[in-house]
């Protein structure tokens, strides 16, 4: 994984160097230092002598992770950003050359605790500040009777623990959970009307206002979960299951339970957090179908006929009529467009010279409705004989209480030893990702 963490100033001077492995040569580190000094850094990843230097700049300090292995760069950059958060807590929000020089002993302690042999360990500031004290924290403790953490306590915090929630800290008069299922639907359609690609990138956001240390169990209509439930009760699987291709879970989720039976159980952080991300590519319910007909008449005129129809269900499970808002279609025009005449059956459409397209806006689009656009574009004679490339039609929209993937929250249980009642709120929202129709 990560072989070394280096801190340099903007002159290329080495402020801190912590080597976790011995596979990085000093000559490679010196070559990177010279790159920093000469301002010869065009990307956040630099390869020198088969070593990868990944850095982030905070003020006049370069925080750099070095590896010689095929390491995950996303993890390395995430660790660097977490490290900057830790430094800001200890240095009163200021990270500069002076704060690094004045606290080099503290920084070495933090580097030893946050990473072990090149593998990130503990970056939770609320745990680190209990066991690693700056001088200001030690001065404050002289006037505080609260006992500080023991030397062996940090080990137990790393190995088991729930560092994102402290027992006895949170008390609410009304215990509530808010769940938002947000999806971005991507679609690519050929000029013959054939669906080339469709998929959904979604995420589930939560806001928890719960007392004590509750355990939450989260149930979706994942196909594997429904099949497991059916086997357990000797029944047929319930229809409507979805197949999740990829999933990324918040670190509070119990991975053992998820790997065993796809159960999402967790002790939630307080406030807002992202429970999971997912990607689905099967059985996507596309909310809109667009049929564009673009006819070029010589070099002087282009005619447009565009039909757009909503295809989400007229009633969702709660019985609320669905409508899309903020619907915008961008229909491309040739770059030598001189004049544009457009008629629409709903909304308004205008030619945008900067975008070189017709922008058709529909404020509210109810389900199972069809609207039409007819237009004619007159072109200026051009010396350039290059053919028009015909970029695709693109769409923007938002559909509240609709999930294009079919994702459905089946249950949300909150278990806490006091046994209080919990109020749960669930919202769905589907927006356009890359929604493109070739012409």
């Amino acid at each position: 994984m990560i072989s070394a963490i280096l801190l340099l100033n903007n002159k290329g001077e080495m402020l801190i160097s912590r080597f976790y492995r011995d596979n990085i040569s000093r000559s490679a580190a010196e070559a990177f230092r010279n790159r920093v000094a000469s301002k010869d850094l065009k990307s956040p990843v630099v390869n020198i002598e088969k070593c990868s230097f990944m850095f982030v700049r905070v003020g006049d300090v370069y925080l750099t992770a070095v590896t010689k292995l095929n390491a995950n760069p996303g993890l390395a950059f995430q660790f660097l950003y977490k490290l900057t958060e830790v430094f800001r807590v200890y240095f009163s929000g200021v990270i500069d050359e002076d704060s690094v020089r004045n606290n080099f002993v503290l920084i070495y302690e933090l580097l030893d605790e946050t990473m072990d042999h090149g593998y990130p360990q503990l970056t939770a500031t609320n745990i680190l500040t209990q066991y690693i004290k700056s001088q200001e924290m030690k001065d404050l403790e002289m006037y505080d009777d609260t006992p500080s953490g023991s030397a062996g306590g940090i080990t137990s915090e790393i190995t088991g623990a729930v560092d994102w929630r402290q027992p006895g800290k949170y008390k609410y008069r009304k215990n509530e959970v808010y769940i938002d299922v947000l999806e971005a639907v991507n679609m690519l359609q050929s000029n013959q009307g054939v669906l080339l690609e469709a998929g959904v990138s979604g995420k589930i956001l939560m806001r928890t206002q719960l007392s004590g240390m509750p355990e939450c169990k989260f149930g979706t209509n994942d196909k594997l979960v429904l099949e497991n439930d059916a086997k357990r009760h000797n029944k047929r699987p319930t229809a409507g299951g979805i197949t999740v291709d990829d999933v990324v879970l918040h670190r509070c989720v119990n991975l053992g339970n998820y790997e065993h039976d796809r159960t999402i159980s967790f002790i939630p952080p307080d406030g807002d957090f992202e429970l999971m991300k997912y990607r689905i590519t099967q059985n996507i319910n596309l909310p809109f179908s667009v049929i564009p007909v673009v006819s070029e008449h010589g070099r002087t005129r282009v005619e447009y006929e565009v039909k757009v129809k909503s295809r989400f269900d007229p009633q969702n499970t709660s019985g609320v009529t669905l409508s899309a808002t903020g619907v915008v279609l961008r229909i491309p025009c040739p770059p030598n467009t001189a004049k544009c005449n457009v008629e629409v059956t709903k909304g308004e459409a205008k030619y945008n010279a900067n975008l070189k397209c017709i922008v058709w806006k529909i404020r509210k689009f109810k389900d199972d409705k069809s609207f039409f656009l007819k237009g004619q574009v007159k072109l200026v004679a051009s010396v350039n004989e290059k053919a028009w490339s015909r970029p695709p039609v693109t769409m923007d929209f938002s559909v509240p209480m609709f999930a294009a993937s079919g994702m459905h929250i089946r249950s949300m249980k909150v278990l806490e030893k006091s046994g209080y009642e919990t109020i749960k709120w669930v919202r769905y929202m589907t927006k356009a990702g890359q929604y493109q129709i070739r012409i």
Side-chain angles (χ1 to χ4, degrees):
M1 184 45 72
I2 296 174
S3 300
I5 296 293
L6 310 177
L7 274 70
L8 301 89
N9 62 12
N10 55 7
K11 299 177 183 178
E13 298 174 350
M14 193 72 70
L15 304 177
I16 297 287
S17 62
R18 177 66 173 90
F19 286 82
Y20 300 97
R21 303 186 180 196
D22 58 0
N23 58 352
I24 303 297
S25 64
R26 296 286 177 177
S27 60
E30 184 69 16
F32 178 74
R33 189 188 70 79
N34 294 333
R35 288 277 194 97
V36 175
S38 61
K39 304 295 188 294
D40 186 20
L41 297 173
K42 297 180 180 179
S43 72
V45 180
V46 179
N47 292 313
I48 302 174
E49 296 184 12
K50 297 182 180 181
C51 299
S52 298
F53 292 78
M54 296 165 281
F55 68 90
V56 296
R57 181 175 178 178
V58 184
D60 58 354
V61 177
Y62 289 82
L63 281 80
T64 308
V66 192
T67 181
K68 201 168 187 177
L69 303 176
N70 187 18
N72 184 350
L75 188 146
F77 279 109
Q78 185 178 11
F79 174 77
L80 291 176
Y81 284 115
K82 286 289 186 181
L83 198 60
T84 59
E85 293 179 9
V86 172
F87 288 168
R88 283 194 173 96
V89 170
Y90 277 91
F91 304 154
S92 303
V94 179
I95 302 177
D96 54 19
E97 183 179 349
D98 292 336
S99 61
V100 172
R101 291 186 182 278
N102 295 334
N103 297 277
F104 70 93
V105 175
L106 175 63
I107 291 174
Y108 275 112
E109 288 186 62
L110 292 172
L111 292 178
D112 286 338
E113 295 298 344
T114 55
M115 182 168 288
D116 182 21
H117 195 58
Y119 291 95
Q121 293 296 310
L122 179 66
T123 57
T125 55
N126 58 331
I127 301 300
L128 288 170
T129 51
Q130 294 180 27
Y131 303 99
I132 300 176
K133 306 290 184 181
S134 65
Q135 188 59 45
E136 293 181 1
M137 296 176 182
K138 292 177 181 177
D139 293 340
L140 290 174
E141 278 192 345
M142 293 176 61
Y143 305 97
D144 190 2
D145 295 333
T146 305
S148 60
S150 62
I154 194 167
T155 304
S156 63
E157 295 287 358
I158 293 174
T159 53
V162 182
D163 57 44
W164 54 87
R165 191 178 187 95
Q166 298 178 6
K169 182 177 180 180
Y170 303 104
K171 293 182 180 180
Y172 291 98
R173 183 174 297 176
K174 184 186 291 186
N175 295 279
E176 296 179 304
V177 175
Y178 299 86
I179 305 171
D180 287 336
V181 181
L182 307 180
E183 294 189 343
V185 57
N186 305 307
M187 187 268 285
L188 178 61
Q189 178 181 301
S190 73
N191 56 1
Q192 303 297 325
V194 179
L195 184 63
L196 302 177
E197 183 181 344
V200 166
S201 298
K203 56 185 177 181
I204 298 179
L205 306 180
M206 293 189 67
R207 172 182 292 177
T208 59
Q209 297 175 352
L210 300 173
S211 304
M213 290 288 286
E215 181 180 0
C216 299
K217 292 188 177 181
F218 196 86
T220 66
N221 58 333
D222 189 323
K223 192 173 182 179
L224 293 177
V225 175
L226 298 179
E227 290 176 354
N228 291 335
D229 290 344
K231 290 179 182 179
R232 195 179 299 115
H233 298 93
N234 294 323
K235 296 180 179 179
R236 289 185 177 181
T238 306
I242 60 173
T243 302
V244 180
D245 297 322
D246 298 311
V247 63
V248 178
L249 299 169
H250 190 275
R251 66 192 186 99
C252 69
V253 177
N254 188 319
L255 294 180
N257 292 342
Y258 184 79
E259 291 292 339
H260 181 257
D261 57 5
R262 290 278 186 160
T263 301
I264 302 176
S265 60
F266 56 97
I267 297 175
D270 188 68
D272 299 329
F273 67 99
E274 184 179 276
L275 179 66
M276 62 182 287
K277 291 181 181 179
Y278 59 90
R279 185 174 64 89
I280 298 175
T281 58
Q282 300 180 26
N283 302 320
I284 304 301
N285 185 9
L286 298 174
F288 290 97
S289 64
V290 180
I291 303 174
V293 178
V294 180
S295 305
E296 295 185 55
H297 299 272
R299 301 180 183 177
T300 60
R301 185 164 55 93
V302 180
E303 291 185 351
Y304 293 85
E305 290 186 10
V306 180
K307 176 185 177 182
V308 56
K309 181 179 181 179
S310 55
R311 302 199 307 182
F312 35 86
D313 296 331
Q315 299 286 330
N316 68 350
T317 54
S318 63
V320 179
T321 303
L322 300 180
S323 298
T325 59
V327 179
V328 179
L329 285 88
R330 297 179 181 86
I331 306 161
C333 297
N336 58 331
T337 297
K339 187 178 180 181
C340 180
N341 295 319
V342 186
E343 294 180 357
V344 293
T345 58
K346 178 74 172 181
E348 59 178 7
K350 293 181 179 180
Y351 173 71
N352 189 312
N354 294 327
L355 299 177
K356 291 183 173 53
C357 66
I358 300 170
V359 180
W360 183 11
K361 296 181 180 180
I362 303 173
R363 184 173 298 178
K364 190 173 184 180
F365 204 129
K366 293 186 178 180
D367 182 64
D368 200 25
K369 296 290 183 181
S370 299
F371 300 115
F372 299 87
L373 175 145
K374 288 188 177 182
Q376 181 175 282
V377 169
K378 293 183 179 180
L379 308 177
V380 176
S382 175
V383 177
N384 189 0
E385 298 292 337
K386 186 178 180 181
W388 179 36
S389 60
R390 291 193 170 216
V393 176
T394 60
M395 278 194 77
D396 286 334
F397 54 81
S398 298
V399 189
M401 300 308 295
F402 170 76
S405 67
M407 173 67 74
H408 178 65
I409 307 302
R410 295 170 55 232
S411 63
M412 175 66 185
K413 297 180 181 179
V414 179
L415 306 175
E416 214 275 333
K417 60 182 180 180
S418 62
Y420 55 70
E421 293 292 329
T422 305
I423 303 173
K424 302 146 189 152
W425 306 89
V426 181
R427 293 188 303 181
Y428 299 88
M429 175 67 75
T430 294
K431 294 186 177 182
Q434 292 184 342
Y435 210 85
Q436 300 178 343
I437 304 94
R438 292 176 180 174
I439 59 177

